[in-house]
Amino acid sequence: MITIDQRIDMFQPNNSLGSKLWQRRHQQSRVADDLSLPLLQLIAPQPARVLEIGCYCGAVGRWLRRQFPRSELIGLDWRPEALEAAAGAYDRLIAAAPEPLDLDAAGLKRGSLDAIVINHVLEQLDDPWGFLRELSRWLAPGGALYLSLFNLRNLAVVYQMAEGRWRYQRDSVMDFAHRRFFTRAESVDLLADTGWRCETLENGLDPTLLERFGVKDLRQASKIHAGRLKLEGLAFDDVLELFTLRFYIKARKVEASEPESSLDRPTTVALLATWWRELLTLEGDPDLDDHFFALGGHSLLVAQLALRVEAQFGCPLPLEAFFAEPRLGSLARAIDQVIHEPSARPSFSALDLGADPQPSMTGAARRSQPLPPELRQQLWTYAGSWRGERARPDSLIVGAHVQGRRPPLFWCFQGEYEYQQLADHIGPEQPLYGMRSGHRVMDYLEENIQALAMAYLEELEALVPDGPIAIGGTCQGAAIAQAMAGHLLRRGRTPTLMLLLDWTGAYHPYPGPVALLFGRESRDFNPYLCLGVTEIPWGRLFPEVRIEIVPGQHTTLMDRPNVSVLAKTITALLEQSGKRVWSEGRALTPKDLLQPGGMLRPRDNST
């Protein structure tokens, strides 16, 4: 039997200058029971040959020996004290640094490993991307990578940063040796960018955080207030990630030649059931007749599901079929049809097939800024589940109170929550049509803004071919709203009012009526607070402009009770614009609002 010292002497890379430098840089030692049990429980079926990179004190090897006594276990580490502690836990130990990865020198044959376990090592690497690309060479067909990563978006870290601190401590997210940091999204991107397919991703919650912040039910925690940290309007996915300490991932390498009907691949139903269980935090697998939205699904979860479907199957989620029948069995059948019948893949050019809602415009002009199919797919992924009425099943615009008697308001929101909140408070007589901005979907390049605006205008003009309309937008949605209003103006159909809420980006000259709304506490989005001024010459851009200050800050404008005031303010502005009551055409400035009864107060520079 070869001893540890003999193996170190035999394995030449350990003596290299690079390996010695790596040892010096990463001398921290882990506790002997550093065992990520939820990660190890993902290992299935029983592997014939396992490599653990960063074997520490051998806790993982000992657990694997008990579970899989017939498996060949190989451990790799760079610290002599760790290798000594791990003696006896593995059939073979390799003393080497993971960077540069040179398993050939250790005598490992490429394609010979059934499982590779990496427990909190990628955070210590200079180039985890190159490491993962190279590592896939040693995995056998059908083998899997089991990976544990600390979550940088952990609430303890976020809280520290809000308090102005960045404290390092051993064996945590902020370990002294960590050079790379990952959130859930970055973990998925890391694998996708390096040729791996994320098959399972589980959240390892931190029970100390749940107790520290007094959270008993994650589904009810839409707000977190602690010291200077104030997080509001949180979706369940956000809350889940904030209370997650580690991610446990099972991934397989992407094989270009892998047959679609491989018998050892999990069925579509099985994969979907696993994903639904993870995304919806179910105790067990859902049934074939279970309804995604009845189980708590929403648009952000649809987006995550779509990412998994595309990564696994190489095809987009068949959203039209999904929203028509959002049940597990129906979705599995729709995906299988798309996989085996390429002609069944969803087309997102249906708008081009309909009648031109404005015959005076030529088809060439109308298609001068086509919406890229992938952008439409991503928009539909987020907005396809918004509740309301649609002109067609694939419409990007969704309506509320569409039978109301007032002129319709088309508003570009950042997300579904904003749309639903405003729809709930603006009243049944005000038709409200919701559109989604390109938030999380696109770069705000001019071509993307114009393409999205034109796509929305096609639907708008089909819905309301003539008559008065108003256009609005929140934050980045204001960029889309401005582009839409400008196109309508050039078509001879000036909106009765353009409303821009908490927008700090580029403002473009516009001759029609404009209302600019800012949150009273929006220090990063209210220009009067950002700049510490009481006058801004809006009249140079907008000859007819109204300024309104509404309660709340940027992330709470749509929360109760702020949204109630916002809805009343918007209603009043729409009524005034319809009657053309605009301060006799003079631009209303903040100085007007500083008069007795005005809404705006100067910034207190002492705070």
Side-chain angles (χ1 to χ4, degrees):
M1 181 175 180
I2 299 176
T3 66
I4 294 296
D5 291 336
Q6 289 174 322
R7 170 60 61 188
I8 290 174
D9 291 338
M10 291 174 64
F11 188 37
Q12 187 64 29
N14 179 70
N15 299 321
S16 67
L17 176 61
S19 183
K20 290 179 180 179
L21 292 175
W22 221 92
Q23 282 189 35
R24 289 182 186 176
R25 203 175 74 194
H26 302 271
Q27 281 296 331
Q28 92 289 359
S29 60
R30 300 277 180 152
V31 294
D33 60 349
D34 184 9
L35 188 66
S36 295
L37 190 58
L39 175 67
L40 300 179
Q41 290 173 337
L42 295 177
I43 300 178
Q46 176 172 320
R49 200 178 199 201
V50 183
L51 169 67
E52 184 192 4
I53 296 179
C55 60
Y56 309 127
C57 299
V60 169
R62 295 182 180 91
W63 186 92
L64 291 172
R65 178 68 67 209
R66 292 192 297 271
Q67 297 298 315
F68 308 120
R70 297 182 180 179
S71 298
E72 179 185 354
L73 306 181
I74 305 170
L76 180 151
D77 210 292
W78 53 93
R79 292 155 296 200
E81 68 275 15
L83 290 164
E84 183 176 356
Y90 301 86
D91 296 294
R92 179 184 176 190
L93 284 169
I94 299 173
E99 286 184 309
L101 184 65
D102 191 4
L103 297 180
D104 285 325
L108 287 183
K109 184 179 178 182
R110 298 192 179 193
S112 65
L113 300 172
D114 300 289
I116 301 175
V117 180
I118 307 177
N119 189 16
H120 303 304
V121 173
L122 293 190
E123 294 95 332
Q124 304 177 45
L125 304 183
D126 289 324
D127 183 16
W129 297 270
F131 174 83
L132 285 177
R133 290 191 191 96
E134 186 70 13
L135 186 64
S136 65
R137 299 171 184 267
W138 279 271
L139 196 66
L145 169 68
Y146 299 90
L147 178 65
S148 180
L149 291 171
F150 278 115
N151 171 32
L152 181 63
R153 202 187 176 194
N154 177 273
L155 188 54
V157 177
V158 176
Y159 174 77
Q160 278 193 41
M161 294 182 68
E163 297 293 324
R165 296 185 178 276
W166 180 271
R167 288 181 175 173
Y168 287 94
Q169 53 187 0
R170 294 191 184 278
D171 306 317
S172 71
V173 182
M174 303 305 300
D175 194 287
F176 293 94
H178 287 181
R179 306 170 71 82
R180 301 294 180 183
F181 302 90
F182 303 94
T183 62
R184 182 184 178 106
E186 293 305 321
S187 301
V188 174
D189 288 347
L190 169 68
L191 292 167
D193 292 343
T194 54
W196 297 87
R197 182 178 67 245
C198 183
E199 187 171 287
T200 302
L201 192 154
E202 295 186 356
N203 295 70
L205 297 181
D206 187 342
T208 63
L209 283 180
L210 296 171
E211 182 178 355
R212 176 180 173 185
F213 289 91
V215 175
K216 296 181 179 179
D217 185 352
L218 292 180
R219 290 189 177 278
Q220 303 300 320
S222 61
K223 298 181 182 181
I224 297 173
H225 290 183
R228 299 177 188 175
L229 179 66
K230 287 182 170 53
L231 302 175
E232 301 183 353
L234 296 173
F236 174 71
D237 280 357
D238 296 317
V239 177
L240 183 63
E241 185 171 352
L242 286 166
F243 283 92
T244 293
L245 177 61
R246 313 166 190 249
F247 300 119
Y248 302 114
I249 300 171
K250 179 178 182 179
R252 299 186 190 274
K253 63 180 180 178
V254 177
E255 299 284 1
S257 59
E258 186 178 355
E260 292 293 340
S261 58
S262 177
L263 295 178
D264 60 355
R265 174 182 293 176
T267 65
T268 305
V269 170
L271 284 171
L272 286 175
T274 300
W275 296 337
W276 282 34
R277 186 182 68 238
E278 294 170 1
L279 294 173
L280 300 169
T281 62
L282 306 176
E283 293 183 359
D285 285 343
D287 295 328
L288 292 177
D289 291 331
D290 278 341
H291 192 289
F292 186 81
F293 298 105
L295 294 175
H298 50 74
S299 59
L300 289 178
L301 294 182
V302 174
Q304 292 197 30
L305 181 63
L307 290 174
R308 297 189 183 198
V309 169
E310 188 154 4
Q312 173 73 27
F313 301 111
C315 69
L317 179 68
L319 289 163
E320 185 173 344
F322 177 54
F323 289 125
E325 185 63 25
R327 301 184 186 278
L328 179 64
S330 301
L331 178 58
R333 288 192 295 272
I335 291 174
D336 285 337
Q337 183 181 10
V338 170
I339 292 172
H340 299 295
E341 300 177 29
S343 61
R345 295 193 175 224
S347 169
F348 291 96
S349 59
L351 287 174
D352 295 334
L353 303 178
D356 191 339
Q358 191 181 41
S360 61
M361 288 197 65
T362 66
R366 186 165 297 281
R367 291 189 294 270
S368 59
Q369 292 285 348
L371 187 65
E374 63 275 11
L375 177 53
R376 177 172 246 281
Q377 164 75 20
Q378 291 172 330
L379 283 167
W380 177 252
T381 299
Y382 279 97
S385 62
W386 289 16
R387 299 189 304 275
E389 298 188 35
R390 300 178 189 271
R392 290 191 303 274
D394 67 338
S395 293
L396 290 175
I397 295 180
V398 59
H401 317 307
V402 296
Q403 303 301 324
R405 294 178 295 180
R406 295 174 182 161
L409 170 62
F410 288 80
W411 196 286
C412 196
F413 297 94
Q414 294 284 76
E416 180 183 14
Y417 176 78
E418 298 175 0
Y419 162 66
Q420 294 295 347
Q421 284 288 89
L422 188 57
D424 290 345
H425 290 82
I426 205 166
E429 293 302 317
Q430 177 59 65
L432 175 65
Y433 289 93
M435 306 167 287
R436 194 184 188 281
S437 72
H439 179 53
R440 295 184 178 180
V441 169
M442 71 181 195
D443 295 326
Y444 275 78
L445 306 174
E446 185 63 21
E447 56 265 32
N448 289 337
I449 292 173
Q450 295 300 329
L452 186 51
M454 292 291 285
Y456 285 147
L457 280 176
E458 288 188 30
E459 290 199 30
L460 180 153
E461 292 184 320
L463 288 164
V464 188
D466 51 37
I469 55 173
I471 301 287
T474 303
C475 192
Q476 292 167 316
I480 311 301
Q482 287 187 95
M484 293 177 66
H487 285 295
L488 286 168
L489 185 74
R490 289 185 287 276
R491 297 179 187 185
R493 190 181 181 185
T494 305
T496 57
L497 181 61
M498 179 175 71
L499 304 99
L500 308 180
L501 174 62
D502 253 18
W503 173 236
T504 58
Y507 289 92
H508 303 291
Y510 179 78
V514 177
L516 305 178
L517 301 92
F518 302 106
R520 192 189 304 278
E521 289 84 40
S522 292
R523 289 195 171 270
D524 294 328
F525 293 85
N526 183 332
Y528 303 109
L529 299 180
C530 295
L531 303 175
V533 300
T534 58
E535 277 196 81
I536 296 176
W538 295 112
R540 297 180 184 176
L541 293 171
F542 314 122
E544 296 184 66
V545 64
R546 179 76 175 262
I547 312 295
E548 293 287 351
I549 306 299
V550 294
Q553 53 100 357
H554 189 66
T555 60
T556 65
L557 296 174
M558 294 293 181
D559 291 344
R560 296 183 179 92
N562 299 337
V563 67
S564 179
V565 178
L566 176 63
K568 291 177 181 178
T569 302
I570 291 173
T571 299
L573 288 168
L574 292 173
E575 290 177 349
Q576 293 172 14
S577 67
K579 299 174 183 177
R580 306 296 288 182
V581 181
W582 283 95
S583 302
E584 298 178 354
R586 179 177 65 83
L588 188 65
T589 70
K591 186 175 288 186
D592 298 308
L593 302 176
L594 293 170
Q595 302 305 315
M599 297 177 66
L600 185 66
R601 292 175 295 177
R603 179 180 183 180
D604 184 357
N605 291 317
S606 65
T607 61

